[in-house]
């Protein structure tokens, strides 16, 4: 479908034998919501399907292990060298494909980052010790065994209905370890020159094409720079891409490699750009690599959600494809909203990383802004509205705004009352914080959506019991926020003591020197 405003972003692209409907790909995301026997849960299946419904051209499942013996890292990983995940993978591929996206899956081997399996060593490119664990140099016969395992895994997922594979050669995993000179000290044909260090990745791609057919799209995810002080920089990324050029169909330029370092957190916040970094912060690496790549397509990723920026990236030739992970977790409908001229309805990810931490700590990939993420099975189906209720929502903070929008979407009659003169509640105090620009944008978008929805909004309206009675609501939703717990400290009520909320809202009240009590997230931000 053509789009006059974003003609490049919505221009289909043929890769191998496959036509992708536009240039927006859903970057690999793993899903820790797995059943005990290693299959995706029903919620995880719906999560991936939802991205295809929203219009992405490809939807990629994260880190699936090709080699359970030497390459597996954590329990919630799909293993492709057994048949355990067969039935759910076929369903995921089918559910993604039927809405028009190409289903892809990321093939991964952890190498020296692997969890040792009983009786087997951990192999990396060169001998070393990582976290007290001995890593042995990978013998050549094991290298070839793993090349074959990648290819067999690709053939397996192809037979399950996947239309592409994404080989993980970045983020410090095995193929990245072989390319990184600080980790690969070999003197045989798998080490030394860029050609030798990239050989493993190139052999993997060629083996996949041999087994799955040359027209089967193979994307290779690399780190365009390690993003640390001791590893390779963009020159290394260019070298890696040059070696892959013409072998990989797509060179997907991510960033970051922290394997063997103690600086994991710094690298992590570049791989998953934090809210302190600017939009599209990693595009420059893909753009630089694209200048040196002649045959393969180049994809960029990281902190992208602005359609105009993505259009410019494609139009100016910085990349052929834009990929988003969190942008589509936060709003899977971003592509379809953009295509249909509803950019004003896009909920932009604020890069808080709650999704990631929820996935790690709770096993559920919940988003701070999108209540439907990981609840697609329940919340995408309108609840029974055979009885239309009159719903009074008390409080126009983020909870109240979303409650009003959801109730209106399901066909109820909604009255939203906010005591102050503006929607946004507690979070309004942070609207001037420069790195929270997307939080401010979120509040504005929600307020805009409320103005467009069938919601009867009353600002400057305090809901008293009499008022509530006069409304005659069937349901009252109390979204009245919370008050901070003030510790019992002598002098805490003094004029020179400010709450975090006051300090954010009126920074001029903070004198030239200040003591911040509490070094949690809020204290650190202040
Ligand atoms: C919840 C979550 C899970 C992810 N899982 C994977 C994964 O399995 N494999 C991978 O290569 N990257 C993974 N990523 C990284 C993303 O693919 C992407 O590179 C990164 O989030 C930056 O893009 P973004 O700013 O659009 O989110 C994950 C990111 C998130 C937020
Ligand atoms: S939880 Fe935060 S970082 Fe993750 S998608 Fe939602 S807004 Fe973005």
């Amino acid at each position: 479908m053509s789009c006059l405003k974003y003609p490049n972003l919505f221009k289909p692209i043929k890769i191998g034998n496959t036509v992708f409907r536009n240039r927006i790909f859903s970057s690999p995301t793993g899903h820790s919501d797995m059943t005990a026997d290693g299959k995706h849960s029903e919620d995880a299946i719906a999560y991936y399907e939802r991205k295809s419904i929203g219009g992405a051209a490809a939807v990629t499942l994260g880190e699936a292990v090709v080699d359970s013996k030497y390459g597996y890292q954590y329990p919630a990983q799909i293993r492709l060298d057994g048949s355990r995940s067969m039935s759910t993978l076929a369903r995921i591929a089918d559910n993604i494909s039927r809405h028009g996206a190409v289903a892809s899956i990321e093939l991964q081997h952890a190498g020296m980052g692997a969890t040792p399996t009983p009786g087997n060593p951990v192999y990396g490119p060169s001998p070393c010790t990582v976290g007290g664990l001995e890593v042995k140099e990978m013998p050549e016969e094991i290298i070839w065994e793993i090349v074959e395992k990648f290819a067999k895994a690709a053939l397996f997922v192809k037979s399950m209905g996947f239309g592409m594979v994404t080989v993980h050669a970045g983020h410090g995993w095995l193929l990245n370890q072989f390319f990184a000179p600080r980790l690969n000290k070999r003197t045989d044909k798998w080490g030394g020159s860029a050609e030798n260090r990239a050989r493993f990745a190139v052999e993997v791609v060629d083996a996949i094409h041999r087994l799955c057919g040359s027209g089967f799209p193979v994307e290779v995810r690399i780190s365009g720079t390690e993003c640390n002080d001791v590893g390779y920089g963009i020159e290394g990324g260019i070298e890696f891409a040059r070696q892959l050029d013409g072998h990989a169909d797509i060179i997907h330029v991510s960033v970051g490699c922290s394997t063997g370092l103690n600086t994991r957190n710094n690298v992590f916040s570049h791989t998953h750009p934090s809210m302190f970094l600017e939009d599209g912060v990693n595009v420059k690496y893909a753009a630089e690599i694209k200048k040196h790549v002649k045959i393969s397509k180049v994809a960029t990723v990281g902190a992208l959600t602005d359609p105009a920026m993505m259009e410019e990236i494609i139009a100016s030739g910085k990349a052929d494809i834009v990929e988003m992970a969190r942008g589509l977790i936060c709003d899977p409908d971003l592509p379809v909203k953009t295509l249909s001229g509803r950019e004003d309805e896009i909920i932009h990810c604020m890069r808080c990383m709650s999704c990631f931490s929820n996935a790690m700590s709770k096993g559920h990939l919940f988003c701070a802004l999108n209540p439907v993420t990981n609840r697609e099975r329940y919340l995408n189906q309108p609840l029974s509205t055979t009885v239309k209720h009159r719903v009074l929502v008390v409080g126009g903070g983020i909870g109240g705004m979303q409650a009003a929008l959801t109730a209106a979407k399901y066909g109820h009659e909604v009255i939203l009352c906010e005591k102050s003169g503006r929607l946004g509640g507690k979070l309004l105090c942070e609207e001037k914080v420069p790195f929270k620009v997307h939080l401010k944008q979120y509040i504005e978008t929600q307020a805009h959506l409320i103005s467009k929805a069938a919601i009867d909004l009353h600002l400057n309206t305090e809901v008293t019991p009499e008022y509530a009675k006069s409304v005659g609501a069937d349901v009252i939703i109390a979204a009245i926020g919370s008050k901070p717990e003030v510790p019992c400290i002598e002098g805490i009520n003094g004029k020179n003591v400010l709450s975090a909320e006051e300090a954010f809202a009126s920074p001029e009240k903070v004198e030239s020197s200040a003591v911040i009590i509490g070094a949690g997230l809020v204290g650190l931000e202040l």
Side-chain angles (χ1 to χ4, degrees):
M1 191 187 286
S2 72
C3 173
L4 289 179
K5 196 163 172 197
Y6 306 102
N8 295 286
L9 194 55
F10 286 95
K11 193 171 177 183
I13 184 167
K14 187 169 183 211
I15 297 172
N17 291 338
T18 304
V19 177
F20 294 74
R21 60 182 162 185
N22 59 50
R23 306 303 180 93
I24 303 173
F25 285 21
S26 172
S27 190
T29 52
H31 205 299
S32 43
D33 192 3
M34 310 283 284
T35 60
D37 56 349
K39 293 177 184 163
H40 283 98
S41 68
E42 292 296 321
D43 288 343
I45 295 172
Y47 160 83
Y48 290 116
E49 179 179 12
R50 185 64 186 82
K51 292 171 197 288
S52 179
I53 295 172
V59 177
T60 305
L61 279 61
E63 293 165 2
V65 180
V66 299
D67 175 9
S68 296
K69 193 168 165 190
Y70 298 122
Y72 131 92
Q73 203 205 20
Y74 55 95
Q77 276 188 300
I78 320 161
R79 303 195 196 185
L80 298 176
D81 53 353
S83 57
R84 298 184 316 154
S85 47
M86 203 155 88
S87 56
T88 45
L89 284 178
R91 274 190 53 215
I92 294 176
D94 187 46
N95 289 11
I96 291 172
S97 313
R98 71 198 171 100
H99 302 290
V102 174
S104 183
I105 187 164
E106 186 176 50
L107 309 182
Q108 188 240 16
H109 192 296
M112 59 196 276
T115 302
T117 51
N120 295 309
V122 169
Y123 287 123
S126 301
C128 63
T129 310
V130 178
L133 194 78
E134 190 196 350
V135 175
K136 293 198 161 152
E137 178 173 293
M138 188 175 279
E140 180 151 14
E141 63 271 21
I142 304 269
I143 294 179
W144 286 115
E145 215 176 89
I146 292 171
V147 168
E148 202 184 322
K149 284 184 172 177
F150 267 101
K152 280 188 173 160
L155 187 63
F156 167 65
V157 296
K158 186 184 175 204
S159 74
M160 291 295 108
F162 283 80
M164 180 167 91
V165 288
T166 302
V167 172
H168 207 336
H171 300 179
W173 300 124
L174 178 67
L175 302 178
N176 193 183
Q177 292 158 19
F178 265 76
F179 183 74
R182 72 179 171 85
L183 299 170
N184 184 347
K185 307 286 181 204
R186 301 172 79 108
T187 51
D188 59 4
K189 69 175 186 178
W190 306 96
S193 66
E195 185 185 358
N196 284 355
R197 285 180 284 115
R199 189 182 305 281
F200 201 164
V202 170
E203 289 291 352
V204 163
V205 178
D206 289 351
I208 294 173
H209 275 140
R210 274 196 301 276
L211 214 57
C212 299
S214 57
F216 184 69
V218 179
E219 176 181 47
V220 180
R221 180 164 234 210
I222 64 167
S223 288
T225 158
E226 284 197 41
C227 273
N228 63 52
D229 296 338
V230 288
Y232 68 81
I234 183 62
E235 306 73 31
I238 292 168
E239 277 182 315
F240 201 1
R242 271 200 185 129
Q243 298 301 323
L244 288 163
D245 192 15
H247 297 271
D249 296 284
I250 304 169
I251 299 173
H252 173 163
V253 184
S254 183
V255 302
C257 171
S258 59
T259 304
L261 300 175
N262 294 323
T263 53
R264 179 173 288 271
N265 290 337
N266 290 341
V267 174
F268 186 85
S269 61
H270 283 91
T271 305
H272 310 79
S274 72
M275 59 168 71
F276 301 102
L277 300 172
E278 74 268 19
D279 285 5
V281 60
N282 293 334
V283 175
K284 54 184 177 285
Y285 302 113
E288 202 47 43
I289 282 173
K290 175 116 175 82
K291 289 181 197 160
H292 300 267
V293 167
K294 295 192 170 57
I295 302 169
S296 306
K297 304 291 179 212
V298 172
T300 184
V301 68
L304 295 168
T305 62
D306 177 7
M309 177 184 273
M310 293 191 276
E311 169 69 15
E312 193 278 330
I313 289 167
I314 308 290
S316 63
K318 292 188 179 102
D320 304 292
I321 292 157
V322 287
E323 306 222 6
M324 273 178 274
R326 291 166 296 173
L328 297 176
I329 291 174
C330 193
D331 193 345
D333 287 330
L334 189 153
V336 80
K337 285 179 181 173
T338 305
L339 184 60
S340 55
R342 293 183 291 131
E343 303 95 314
D344 59 329
E345 295 180 16
I346 293 171
I347 304 293
H348 295 265
C349 163
M350 61 176 171
R351 290 188 251 135
C352 64
M353 280 314 263
S354 297
C355 47
F356 208 96
S357 59
N358 281 330
M360 294 291 133
S361 61
K362 302 191 182 99
H364 288 283
L365 216 161
F366 293 134
C367 169
L369 300 186
N370 180 358
V372 181
T373 300
N374 210 64
R375 299 186 186 97
E376 289 83 358
R377 282 199 305 143
Y378 321 102
L379 297 184
N380 271 337
Q381 312 298 331
L383 304 174
S384 167
T385 42
T386 42
V387 181
K388 186 172 167 178
H389 290 300
R390 191 166 159 79
V391 179
L392 171 63
V393 181
V394 185
I398 56 165
M401 287 196 283
Q402 185 60 55
L405 284 166
T406 305
K409 181 175 147 197
Y410 292 153
H412 298 294
E413 188 187 345
V414 182
I415 302 110
L416 170 61
C417 294
E418 163 56 35
K419 191 162 74 171
S420 77
R422 276 183 76 191
L423 292 171
K426 291 271 180 223
L427 291 184
L428 284 173
C429 72
E430 302 192 43
E431 66 182 342
K432 291 187 201 130
V433 181
F435 59 83
K436 296 206 174 173
V437 57
H438 290 301
L439 182 60
K440 178 170 186 264
Q441 191 178 20
Y442 167 68
I443 295 168
E444 286 166 359
T445 305
Q446 291 289 81
H448 173 63
L449 292 176
I450 284 170
S451 73
K452 282 171 69 171
I455 294 173
D456 186 9
L457 172 65
H458 296 262
L459 295 174
N460 301 307
T461 303
E462 181 161 2
V463 176
T464 58
E466 296 71 37
Y467 185 91
K469 242 185 216 158
S470 73
V471 168
D474 303 304
V475 177
I476 298 179
I477 298 176
I480 48 179
S482 56
K483 283 195 182 139
E485 178 77 33
V486 180
C488 188
I489 300 173
E490 199 183 329
I492 201 154
N493 294 319
K495 279 194 185 139
N496 58 344
V497 181
L498 302 176
S499 67
E501 198 179 333
E502 286 168 314
F504 270 128
S506 314
E508 69 283 355
K509 285 190 189 164
V510 182
E511 303 287 336
S512 54
S513 71
V515 175
I516 296 171
I517 303 175
L521 285 181
V522 176
L524 288 176
E525 278 176 13
L526 271 173

